[in-house]
Amino acid sequence: MEKLIEKLAIERNRLFVGRSAELDMIHQWIGSLNAPTQVLFVSGIGGIGKTSFMMRALDIAMLANVRTMWIDGRMCTETPTGFMEALFDHMKTIEELPSQRETSLHNLIHEISKGRTLLCIDNYDAILKIDGWLREVFLPRLPSTGVLMLFVSRQNLSESWQHDLAWRNRVSHIELPPLNRQEVTQYGFRTGIKKSVDIERLHTESQGLPLALALTSEKLTLVGQEAWPISLRICAELLREVVSPDLQEVLDLLCILPQATLKQIRRLARSPLNASRLLQLSRISFVRPTAYGFALHDVARHYLMEDFMRRDLERVRSLRKHIVYELVRELQSSDDIERSKHISMLITTCRDAFQLDAVAVFAHDPKQMQMEPFHQQDLPYLKRILQEQASYAVSINTDLVVLQELAEQFPDCIRVFRSKDGTPLAFVAGFYLYDKTTKFHEKHFPEVLEKAYPHEIDTMRTQTIEQANTFYHLLAAASENDPEYRFQQLIGIILADSLLVRSAGVRLVMINTYEGITAILVRLGYKMRPLAGLPDGHPFQYASVRELDWQTSDFGAQILELFECEPRDDKKPSPTNISDKSMISALPLVKDLNRLTQTELAHILGLTGTDLQHAIDQLLWGDPVYPLDQRMQLVLRQLSEAAHLTAEDAADRLHVSRATYFRIRRDALSAMKELLLR
């Protein structure tokens, strides 16, 4: 039987046009048995087809029996350990590695070295904090032949790569251009647009942008070839028009979720997602595959979310709360590797709930949150911004010296937000605490780390970067005089860069006297304590240690509190007191008030027969409420109306296997229990 992944690959290849010269680089590397280990950067504007190019490269490699690995930079912690865990997680899923395998650098290099490998990192700009470690530690440990690293990013090749002489002959950079007229013609023919006048118009108005081409062809397929004029401007209306009504709900889910697994979609969507609808979803031009499931193209997500909030804000809030419950539930049952992933998704999903002085901290438009790598020509601007905020500094002279030496010794740890004309408006600098950076910190801020972490300082002074689990926010500043961005927005961009995905799974620390962001830090779950033990007159004598440990904090509870979701009352019955047997016994009695009142379930819940009847009717016949879905609801109805059925007969009526029936029944009773208590 043909697998879905094979059908998806065939569909992708049918609609993939152009990029011949770029793909030749992939073919040539695969065709050379002793091809040197190389790095290929692929960059370009939103909608230009970067992920499509990566998927085509993966398909080519798989057809040539070259091992493929693929991770999404946004879904792994921006640490060496997080990167290694993400790769092991991928290999565990695809190649069934032992789940308890030690995620060390040595073991990872050993696994990659087993055969010729194409390793792709989508959204590489999300892990730029470890760019230096990848270039200087990870990649040099790879075998000298047989590995092709494909980095996909909006941002171009960084200065550090360009100036690294050792990598000069092993690094190539592709900046994807728009499709030319011949390629647009080819795409038009493959999608059924054959008239030369239509092709010409398509090329002129879309300017060869693949996303615009795909959307237009989908619209023409729906309404017919004579439907011109059609706006080629990407907008929410056009995006929704090319999606069938029964997939609109999934579209809404993907507006809020950064990416969703098939399991999440099936749990959250009210309508079941069968194989046919899944294939239909995967064929939508702006729904992109990810390492874990599906996501909207960034450009499409921005337009759709903006329209969704304008059109039905209450629905957005309700759906987000529904999604948050699901993600918190997954977080609470996840292991250490999955925990970082779920925290990242929760922060992204909830970003507009964080505010600083009534200004949203995390902008909706992802392009407004993009901080970029530091360039040496930025330094005078950053010093000027730092001096503008001298009143907030413990010592402005020390901060200026620290910034200068960071630019010389650790340039990768500085990230910059620029205006449209490229002028730096804000920056943040920080590093993971390990032997080299701890020594740097103690040189400029003596005794501070020692007093803050007396029991850990010896470890910090000796551990390698791969062992580091604490990220220290060292410096940050934002311009207060820019006409386009308010100061609070720039501070929000700094916070977003530090907290949105990048730092999930590690401990975040800042030690300073600045109180301007205390409120938002408390909302995020930071713990505050005074920095005690410093002598009188020390610059940091009155500083506070602000710490958030993603690994140990109950982040799920914090998020539920943020959305004003009331915690369960301890006086209410515990779920452990409601047995499956008590619910199964009550379901067939839903029409008999007297007998329903006498059931164990009514007694535990303290409900009258009428109240319990109403509650069960809602579960059986009302719209499914999370965590109940339609399949679970069918099982509950069957338990209520046909309690006499054997498990085999019940499974047959639902067209599932006996094992699947018991799994759905278990989930249905669990959901019923939770909703009755809620």
Side-chain angles (χ1 to χ4, degrees), residues 32 233 333 404 438 501 555 582 644 669:
S32 175
R233 176 182 169 273
S333 63
Q404 177 69 46
T438 302
V501 177
F555 185 69
S582 68
H644 62 281
L669 292 171

Side-chain angles (χ1 to χ4, degrees), residues 326-504:
E326 172 68 13
L327 293 179
V328 169
R329 178 177 173 174
E330 291 183 0
L331 172 64
Q332 291 171 341
S333 63
S334 61
D335 59 26
D336 289 342
I337 294 177
E338 291 177 330
R339 178 178 169 80
S340 299
K341 202 162 51 184
H342 291 316
I343 288 176
S344 299
M345 293 185 72
L346 267 169
I347 295 175
T348 307
T349 301
C350 305
R351 64 186 182 211
D352 64 339
F354 300 102
Q355 293 190 336
L356 182 65
D357 295 340
V359 175
V361 170
F362 300 153
H364 293 298
D365 186 350
K367 292 180 289 187
Q368 291 183 5
M369 297 192 302
Q370 291 294 319
M371 296 194 83
E372 300 172 347
F374 166 77
H375 303 314
Q376 290 299 327
Q377 60 265 31
D378 295 330
L379 191 56
Y381 294 95
L382 305 191
K383 288 182 175 179
R384 191 179 308 147
I385 294 171
L386 205 55
Q387 287 173 319
E388 287 176 7
Q389 298 186 319
S391 60
Y392 302 133
V394 174
S395 170
I396 186 61
N397 292 329
T398 300
D399 287 354
L400 288 168
V401 171
V402 167
L403 181 59
Q404 177 69 46
E405 293 193 16
L406 284 175
E408 296 168 359
Q409 299 177 40
F410 302 101
D412 290 341
C413 84
I414 307 173
R415 292 177 59 76
V416 180
F417 179 76
R418 300 181 175 86
S419 65
K420 292 177 181 178
D421 64 4
T423 303
L425 298 179
F427 78 94
V428 62
F431 41 48
Y432 298 103
L433 290 175
Y434 61 103
D435 50 5
K436 292 179 182 178
T437 56
T438 302
K439 182 178 180 181
F440 178 93
H441 190 278
E442 292 186 313
K443 170 188 171 184
H444 295 287
F445 308 101
E447 299 185 83
V448 171
L449 282 177
E450 189 172 348
K451 297 301 182 185
Y453 296 101
H455 303 297
E456 297 180 52
I457 188 63
D458 289 338
T459 301
M460 292 175 177
R461 287 168 176 161
T462 57
Q463 67 188 1
T464 65
I465 188 172
E466 290 86 7
Q467 297 168 319
N469 66 351
T470 299
F471 186 83
Y472 191 99
H473 292 273
L474 194 57
L475 293 175
S479 173
E480 297 185 70
N481 306 310
D482 185 73
E484 187 177 356
Y485 294 94
R486 294 172 61 181
F487 176 69
Q488 291 93 334
Q489 288 177 304
L490 294 174
I491 293 295
I493 290 167
I494 290 172
L495 285 170
D497 185 77
S498 302
L499 299 173
L500 188 59
V501 177
R502 302 185 186 285
S503 300

Side-chain angles (χ1 to χ4, degrees), residues 121-137:
I121 305 177
D122 200 6
N123 296 298
Y124 181 74
D125 23 13
I127 57 170
L128 287 177
K129 278 182 185 171
I130 61 169
D131 180 76
W133 174 82
L134 284 166
R135 188 178 61 255
E136 298 166 10
V137 179

Side-chain angles (χ1 to χ4, degrees), residues 224-281:
Q225 297 295 312
E226 307 302 325
W228 293 99
I230 288 179
S231 171
L232 297 189
R233 176 182 169 273
I234 298 171
C235 62
E237 182 182 5
L238 178 59
L239 291 164
R240 285 199 175 273
E241 281 179 353
V242 301
V243 177
S244 62
D246 60 343
L247 286 175
Q248 293 289 337
E249 184 188 20
V250 178
L251 213 61
D252 290 343
L253 291 172
L254 294 176
C255 280
I256 297 173
L257 280 166
Q259 62 173 279
T261 64
L262 182 57
K263 179 182 176 182
Q264 287 171 332
I265 293 174
R266 283 177 168 160
R267 288 186 70 89
L268 291 166
R270 293 180 179 180
S271 302
L273 190 66
N274 55 30
S276 173
R277 293 178 68 232
L278 177 62
L279 185 60
Q280 187 183 358
L281 176 68

Side-chain angles (χ1 to χ4, degrees), residues 179-215:
L179 300 177
N180 59 36
R181 191 187 184 288
Q182 182 180 354
E183 291 162 346
V184 171
T185 302
Q186 186 180 8
Y187 185 87
F189 270 75
R190 291 187 181 183
T191 56
I193 304 172
K194 299 179 180 180
K195 292 182 180 179
S196 59
V197 64
D198 291 342
I199 294 292
E200 189 62 42
R201 186 170 191 174
L202 198 60
H203 178 249
T204 301
E205 296 191 30
S206 72
Q207 298 182 338
L209 189 69
L211 181 57
L213 287 170
L215 281 170

